[in-house]
Amino acid sequence: MEITFSLAEIDNAAQQILAQNIKKTILFHAGMGVGKTTFIKALARQLGVKDMTSSPTFSLVNEYETENGEILYHFDLYRINTEEEAYDMGLDEYFYSGNLCLIEWPEKTPNLIPIDHTSITIKQLPDGRRHLTVK
């Protein structure tokens, strides 16, 4: 699936993703500043999360509750230096918890990521829109 959208259309794009057969673990691939966190916030809004306020860059993981009481974990692994560090912090337990895990910078922990996952790649287009590919 591929979607091209402007920031004004981001909530609609998030709805389209959630309507697909996505896995509980979703990996986000994009360069710095392309909009991973912004898109994750849109997904969370569509799931009824009310308190989504910040990127977990310094805490590594934020936990939110959806409107139907499910747990959503948002990870920003940018500051992880080694996979061993991530393992020692118990990140794999989150990944295999059965809860929705939205992971920025998953390439930092390739051996901890569940095999059964969805990958989303976001690219910024010259006109400012984003092109999103789901695999």
Side-chain angles (χ1 to χ4, degrees):
M1 169 184 208
E2 295 188 25
I3 304 171
T4 299
F5 61 94
S6 68
L7 290 179
E9 300 165 325
I10 197 168
D11 287 320
N12 183 44
Q15 284 178 337
Q16 289 180 55
I17 296 301
L18 292 171
Q20 300 301 307
N21 185 22
I22 57 173
K23 306 297 181 184
K24 288 283 191 173
T25 301
I26 305 175
L27 313 182
F28 289 84
H29 302 279
M32 184 73 74
V34 172
K36 295 179 297 295
T37 298
T38 301
F39 195 77
I40 288 171
K41 287 181 179 185
L43 287 171
R45 270 194 308 275
Q46 297 309 306
L47 292 168
V49 172
K50 303 292 185 216
D51 58 352
M52 183 68 118
T53 57
S54 66
S55 171
T57 301
F58 296 102
S59 62
L60 298 179
V61 61
N62 285 344
E63 179 180 324
Y64 302 103
E65 186 174 334
T66 68
E67 68 184 353
N68 42 342
E70 295 179 357
I71 300 297
L72 178 155
Y73 294 116
H74 175 197
F75 298 88
D76 184 335
L77 304 182
Y78 184 76
R79 295 183 61 225
I80 292 287
N81 295 313
T82 66
E83 244 179 352
E84 184 176 326
E85 176 185 351
Y87 185 77
D88 289 344
M89 295 173 67
L91 289 186
D92 61 319
E93 293 178 27
Y94 287 102
F95 296 168
Y96 291 94
S97 68
N99 294 304
L100 186 59
C101 293
L102 309 177
I103 306 170
E104 297 184 49
W105 305 101
E107 57 275 7
K108 296 280 197 157
T109 61
N111 297 307
L112 298 180
I113 301 295
I115 291 171
D116 197 23
H117 65 267
T118 296
S119 286
I120 294 178
T121 302
I122 305 171
K123 293 184 180 176
Q124 186 170 359
L125 302 176
D127 65 4
R129 293 182 305 151
R130 304 309 195 268
H131 183 79
L132 185 145
T133 305
V134 180
K135 292 183 182 176

